[in-house]
Amino acid sequence: MSDIIRLSISEAARLFGVNSITIRRALKDGEITYVVVLGRYQLNFESVLKWSQRRKALQKKLKTQGIGQYVD
């Protein structure tokens, strides 16, 4: 059984180079799965990755520069 990797909204936004509002919109639209732990969203990393691959605007960035390019 594998462990599920969880991200906060801000971590996901930084990792994929988008605004946190974009992540929140995807949550509202049911495009990203999550759980709420102590009142905070914990996003399923696999779900966020699949979501990013469906977004045309992110596809080119991810192919040329890879994931995490925005994190210092």
Side-chain angles (χ1 to χ4, degrees):
M1 186 173 172
S2 64
D3 292 330
I4 296 174
I5 299 171
R6 304 249 184 234
L7 302 170
S8 68
I9 291 174
S10 61
E11 289 171 331
R14 282 189 21 228
L15 193 60
F16 290 92
V18 296
N19 194 300
S20 62
I21 295 170
T22 303
I23 299 291
R24 289 181 184 278
R25 189 177 307 121
L27 292 174
K28 181 181 173 192
D29 294 343
E31 299 180 65
I32 297 174
T33 58
Y34 65 92
V35 295
V36 179
V37 178
L38 298 174
R40 297 193 152 305
Y41 288 101
Q42 293 294 306
L43 315 180
N44 180 318
F45 175 75
E46 183 179 351
S47 176
V48 179
L49 184 60
K50 287 179 182 178
W51 166 81
S52 72
Q53 292 172 343
R54 289 190 305 266
R55 290 185 46 92
K56 298 286 184 200
L58 288 177
Q59 285 179 354
K60 184 176 179 182
K61 284 189 214 179
L62 294 175
K63 283 182 183 177
T64 60
Q65 300 172 358
I67 190 171
Q69 62 191 332
Y70 306 99
V71 180
D72 293 331

